[in-house]
Amino acid sequence: MIDLSTAYLGLRLRTPLVASASPLSRDLDAVRRLEDAGAAAIVLYSLFEEQLRQEELDLEYHLAAGTDSFAESLSYFPQASEFQTGPEGYLEHIRRAKTAVKIPVIASLNGSTLGGWTKFARQIESAGADAIECNIYSIPTNPDLLAADVEKNYIEILRAVKSAVSIPVAVKLSPFFSNMANMAKRLGEAGADGLVLFNRFYQPDIDLEELELRPNVLLSGPQALRLPLTWIGILFGRVPVSLAATSGVHNADDVLKLLMVGANVTMLCSALMRNGTNHLRHIERGMREWMEEHEYESVLQMLGSMSQLRCPDPAAFERAQYMRAVKGMQHIHMAGWR
């Protein structure tokens, strides 16, 4: 019997297949369908820092409304139950999701500053979330902002959230640090229970007719797999945190490769949006077939077997392999001229 179970953020999961934050988790029926199709855990759609700020502004407005009027005119004063804005709705969605499914439900907070994360993280825990994924989405554009200050912001956000909750906290981040390995180590030392690699930055397009910047969200392709595969392979065994791979996970082969370099879980979004939630069944079946054919009994058996620490050729993750790849391209180019 093949054992696909794995551990992530201290949570025991049936398989490494996790539904990442996406519109697929906005609807409760869709959350149930993800579980039925085989998702071992679900990361709910992200609540944005801007939504928390908006709630504070709305509350301040309503509390101030009518304060310069006669007391008798305050009968229209809004009750707390009326403040069903984004954050309140998100907390209710967590509660309902926890009731609807048996698998772990992970909340996602998306932001770039300390803001109201700490207070809301506490509320997320009270609502029943099994863990929190902090999606720190920041694109530094100030040329005077030092790299050390950017990194410090990540650490401060993590520490603030960790100080507020007792449930596990993962950090979803980009690869754009001067030393990604050092940043991963520092996040681990600051209390991160896991790292989700990697965030995909929004990149606008230009409408040539209207001469306007337009949002243009592109689903990931298989080629996006190489980045998390490389860095998870480098970090495995070097940082004491769970490692989650996201971006470019589309089929069973992708999942198997990521497990071999050291991913505890693989998160899927684009593949499910393209192929439907039942694509999870296809991936799980493919994993079992490959493992049976190659005589693997468990995920644990293959975990990290092809990481840099255990790979027969550790240089394959570094510059030496890059040089070989460039030379290979040169041979292809020369062959084309013959």
Side-chain angles (χ1 to χ4, degrees), residues 34-85:
L34 285 167
E35 181 186 42
D36 292 342
I42 296 173
V43 183
L44 295 181
Y45 66 92
S46 295
L47 182 75
F48 289 83
E49 177 186 340
E50 289 79 2
Q51 290 174 278
L52 295 176
R53 288 204 202 119
Q54 186 59 47
E55 183 187 53
E56 292 176 357
L57 292 173
D58 290 346
L59 180 59
E60 181 180 353
Y61 169 79
H62 287 301
L63 290 176
T67 54
D68 57 350
S69 305
F70 293 103
E72 290 82 357
S73 68
L74 298 183
S75 59
Y76 62 85
F77 191 84
Q79 301 300 311
S81 61
E82 295 176 34
F83 298 140
Q84 298 299 321
T85 55

Side-chain angles (χ1 to χ4, degrees), residues 219-220 249-251 268-276 279 283:
L219 297 178
S220 74
V249 186
H250 288 263
N251 55 49
L268 298 98
C269 172
S270 297
L272 302 184
M273 295 187 74
R274 279 196 181 100
N275 305 301
H279 189 57
I283 293 176

Side-chain angles (χ1 to χ4, degrees), residues 21 57 121 185 254 256 270 297 299 312 324:
L57 292 173
K185 178 185 175 184
D254 298 335
L256 293 164
S270 297
E297 296 179 356
V299 163
R324 289 176 60 187

Side-chain angles (χ1 to χ4, degrees), residues 14-318:
R14 188 184 66 83
T15 77
L17 304 178
V18 174
S20 62
S22 77
L24 292 173
S25 60
R26 283 186 173 272
D27 177 75
L28 201 61
D29 287 337
V31 170
R32 291 192 186 97
R33 286 195 294 272
L34 285 167
E35 181 186 42
D36 292 342
I42 296 173
V43 183
L44 295 181
Y45 66 92
S46 295
L47 182 75
F48 289 83
E49 177 186 340
E50 289 79 2
Q51 290 174 278
L52 295 176
R53 288 204 202 119
Q54 186 59 47
E55 183 187 53
E56 292 176 357
L57 292 173
D58 290 346
L59 180 59
E60 181 180 353
Y61 169 79
H62 287 301
L63 290 176
T67 54
D68 57 350
S69 305
F70 293 103
E72 290 82 357
S73 68
L74 298 183
S75 59
Y76 62 85
F77 191 84
Q79 301 300 311
S81 61
E82 295 176 34
F83 298 140
Q84 298 299 321
T85 55
E88 279 301 318
Y90 194 80
L91 294 174
E92 180 59 24
H93 190 52
I94 293 173
R95 296 185 192 103
R96 294 176 65 199
K98 282 297 297 176
T99 302
V101 298
K102 296 179 181 178
I103 59 177
V105 173
I106 301 171
S108 174
L109 286 175
N110 186 309
S112 61
T113 64
L114 280 172
W117 288 46
T118 305
K119 173 185 174 183
F120 197 71
R122 209 174 284 124
Q123 293 175 317
I124 282 176
E125 181 176 30
S126 298
D130 295 285
I132 296 175
E133 181 177 288
C134 288
N135 187 340
I136 305 178
Y137 186 100
S138 176
I139 305 178
T141 57
N142 181 353
D144 296 321
L145 183 63
L146 299 178
D149 293 329
V150 174
E151 295 172 1
K152 181 182 176 183
N153 184 51
Y154 277 69
I155 301 296
E156 288 179 345
I157 289 174
L158 170 62
R159 284 180 174 157
V161 175
K162 283 290 294 184
S163 69
V165 300
S166 58
I167 56 176
V169 177
V171 180
K172 187 173 185 177
L173 67 165
S174 81
F176 303 122
F177 294 95
S178 56
N179 185 345
M180 180 63 213
N182 177 258
M183 192 63 193
K185 178 185 175 184
R186 290 170 60 195
L187 287 167
E189 292 171 345
D193 298 284
L195 299 177
V196 183
L197 309 177
F198 286 105
N199 197 343
R200 295 175 65 220
F201 278 145
Y202 160 71
Q203 298 167 324
D205 200 356
I206 295 177
D207 185 324
L208 291 176
E209 296 302 321
E210 300 295 332
L211 297 182
E212 292 179 349
L213 288 177
R214 293 290 176 88
N216 185 15
V217 178
L218 299 176
L219 297 178
S220 74
Q223 69 278 4
L225 181 79
R226 299 294 182 86
L227 188 58
L229 186 146
T230 299
W231 274 108
I232 289 174
I234 292 171
L235 295 176
F236 177 81
R238 291 192 169 98
V239 290
V241 299
S242 294
L243 297 172
T246 185
S247 283
V249 186
H250 288 263
N251 55 49
D253 287 356
D254 298 335
V255 174
L256 293 164
K257 291 174 185 178
L258 289 164
L259 293 173
M260 286 182 174
V261 295
N264 297 97
V265 295
T266 58
M267 296 188 171
L268 298 98
C269 172
S270 297
L272 302 184
M273 295 187 74
R274 279 196 181 100
N275 305 301
T277 55
N278 280 327
H279 189 57
L280 284 163
R281 302 180 196 275
H282 175 72
I283 293 176
E284 182 175 333
R285 184 169 58 251
M287 289 175 62
R288 290 184 183 278
E289 290 173 354
W290 187 93
M291 290 173 69
E292 183 176 356
E293 181 182 349
H294 293 81
E295 300 182 348
Y296 279 89
E297 296 179 356
S298 68
V299 163
L300 183 61
Q301 184 182 354
M302 72 171 69
L303 189 65
S305 59
M306 292 295 293
S307 65
Q308 189 177 40
L309 285 180
R310 298 178 182 173
C311 184
D313 181 16
F317 286 89
E318 297 178 1

